[in-house]
Amino acid sequence: MLVLAIESSCDDTAVAIYDDSRGLIANCRHQQHMLHAEYGGVVPEIAARDHLQRIIPLLDTAFTQAKCNKTDITAIAYTKGPGLVGSLLVGASTAKALSLAWGIPSLGVHHLEAHIMAAFLSEPAPEYPFVCLLVSGGHSMLIDVSKFGEYKIIGQTLDDAVGEAFDKVAKMLNLGYPGGPAIEALAQQAKRTHNITLPRPMLSKPGLDLSFSGLKTHVRNLIANNADAGIEFKADLAAAFEQAVADTLSRKLERAIKQTDYKSIVCVGGVSANKCLRNKLDLTFSKNDVRLFYPKLEFCTDNAAMVAMAGQLRLALGFKDKDLAVEVCTRWDITKIN
Ligand code: KG4
Ligand code: ZN
């Protein structure tokens, strides 16, 4: 089976080709960061228009990379949701048009399932069951994954997603968009000479839910109260913020592991690229008998390889779109995808 995959849920246009015997044979992506940087976040209309311009050239690049012909493709997987409606429609309509033209099936894939499957693109692949910490720009949740396709949300953010908090704090520090990598880079310059104490939200409450808006407000107040502070203060603040997020997520994961009694954790989504978070989780769980799995860095943020992986697993189980209607879901509950 040779699966062509398209991802266009937000601000990255991506195309991949996956061969179920050889693995990933093409993986290309066009990132729109520069287009959105001046706004400090993604502007949906700009994102959709750029996808439209990029998608066909990117398909050509993918076929050149894969050294295969269009006639070799046996199915097309694309991100059906959740995401921005205009962005999703570009990927979905391209997939449906190719499905009609080439006479092959298409399959709409859930973006969050694709993020989880990103961890299966590397060896060793995670073993079921596991607790998944999914931390991206739009979502932050703890998921009990008993097997492929069986997801139970056991905790989620009550307000901002973790990536969103990174982006907003970066905006306050004038670091541009996306905020996560910018905060990580600034934090690496921290000398930790300022005594900055940040809250670890929701740890005094029982349960697995998360909340990051209070932490964000705390950072905003610190910036306002230290308006004259220089780069050294900002670097210390960036490091303190990363540490607060990492500590909080680590403690919640400890609770999730205790609750489920699982022995594996899979950490995915854009924020899973963060080294401070990875270090904290590695340190915490190396003491326990719990294995940690992450995607390769290039597969943490949005990409089409993860869509190909989720798509080929579902196609092999017999899932496919029932007709050629272009349908996307801007909101889509991951527990209701089967
Ligand atoms: O998964 P993703 O590419 O898109 C969504 O599905 O939302 O995640 C993007 C988010 C952004 O908020 C970005 O700031 C964050 O992931 N991010 C990071 C890092 N790289 C990306 N956050 C912290 N550290 C990073 N290295
Ligand atoms: Zn994503």
Side-chain angles (χ1 to χ4, degrees):
M1 181 159 52
L2 217 62
V3 178
L4 172 72
I6 300 174
E7 156 63 34
S8 70
S9 64
C10 188
D11 59 343
D12 293 315
T13 324
V15 176
I17 301 176
Y18 189 91
D19 181 340
D20 62 356
S21 56
R22 288 182 295 160
L24 200 61
I25 54 172
N27 186 36
C28 19
R29 173 166 73 168
H30 169 77
Q31 297 188 295
Q32 303 181 355
H33 298 163
M34 298 301 284
L35 292 179
H36 304 285
E38 66 176 291
Y39 306 99
V42 177
V43 182
E45 185 64 24
I46 295 178
R49 284 167 191 251
D50 198 58
H51 284 306
L52 213 46
Q53 287 190 334
R54 303 288 173 180
I55 188 76
I56 302 294
L58 217 53
L59 280 162
D60 286 338
T61 310
F63 278 102
T64 309
Q65 244 183 44
K67 297 190 186 72
C68 72
N69 294 315
K70 291 167 183 142
T71 47
D72 298 333
I73 302 293
T74 44
I76 306 169
Y78 62 95
T79 304
K80 181 177 173 179
L84 302 170
V85 66
S87 294
L88 288 168
L89 281 170
V90 175
S93 44
T94 306
K96 290 294 173 111
L98 294 178
S99 161
L100 173 66
W102 298 344
I104 56 174
S106 66
L107 173 69
V109 166
H110 194 290
H111 184 70
L112 302 188
E113 177 169 81
H115 268 301
I116 300 171
M117 290 306 124
F120 288 77
L121 286 160
S122 327
E123 296 283 342
E127 277 171 27
Y128 296 101
F130 55 79
V131 172
C132 175
L133 173 67
L134 193 157
V135 272
S136 70
H139 298 86
S140 293
M141 38 179 75
L142 286 154
I143 311 170
D144 173 338
V145 186
S146 49
K147 61 178 188 173
F148 176 66
E150 290 291 327
Y151 309 108
K152 189 170 151 211
I153 299 170
I154 52 176
Q156 60 187 322
T157 183
L158 305 177
D159 38 60
D160 291 355
V162 187
E164 190 181 353
F166 267 95
D167 293 336
K168 287 179 178 167
V169 168
K171 197 173 176 183
M172 294 173 207
L173 291 168
N174 294 319
L175 298 177
Y177 175 84
I183 290 201
E184 178 158 47
L186 182 60
Q188 268 152 20
Q189 297 174 37
K191 297 200 174 77
R192 295 179 171 78
T193 50
H194 299 85
N195 187 15
I196 300 172
T197 322
L198 294 179
R200 271 54 177 161
M202 303 289 282
L203 291 186
S204 55
K205 295 200 175 102
L208 299 174
D209 282 338
L210 306 159
S211 162
F212 291 96
S213 74
L215 174 61
K216 178 192 69 188
T217 306
H218 201 102
V219 172
R220 176 174 288 125
N221 292 339
L222 273 178
I223 294 172
N225 295 337
N226 293 275
D228 300 331
I231 188 72
E232 291 196 355
F233 174 79
K234 287 183 175 181
D236 282 3
L237 184 58
F241 173 73
E242 272 193 337
Q243 199 61 56
V245 169
D247 285 354
T248 307
L249 294 175
S250 171
R251 292 280 297 282
K252 289 284 174 173
L253 266 174
E254 280 185 295
R255 283 186 198 174
I257 284 294
K258 203 167 169 199
Q259 181 177 312
T260 56
D261 207 21
Y262 291 169
K263 295 285 174 228
S264 298
I265 293 170
V266 176
C267 179
V268 299
V271 183
S272 72
N274 187 271
K275 288 178 208 68
C276 174
L277 175 62
R278 288 189 177 206
N279 290 342
K280 176 69 192 173
L281 298 185
D282 290 344
L283 194 70
T284 305
F285 293 99
S286 63
K287 292 180 230 136
N288 311 336
D289 188 19
V290 175
R291 293 184 73 193
L292 266 159
F293 299 88
Y294 308 94
K296 281 188 190 163
L297 288 183
E298 68 208 273
F299 300 137
C300 291
T301 46
D302 290 349
N303 64 86
M306 67 186 196
V307 177
M309 180 50 105
Q312 63 100 14
L313 288 167
R314 281 199 171 264
L315 287 156
L317 292 172
F319 287 91
K320 60 178 180 173
D321 285 349
K322 56 183 187 315
D323 55 38
L324 285 166
V326 177
E327 205 190 319
V328 296
C329 306
T330 54
R331 288 169 177 269
W332 190 4
D333 184 346
I334 191 173
T335 63
K336 300 197 175 80
I337 57 178
N338 289 325

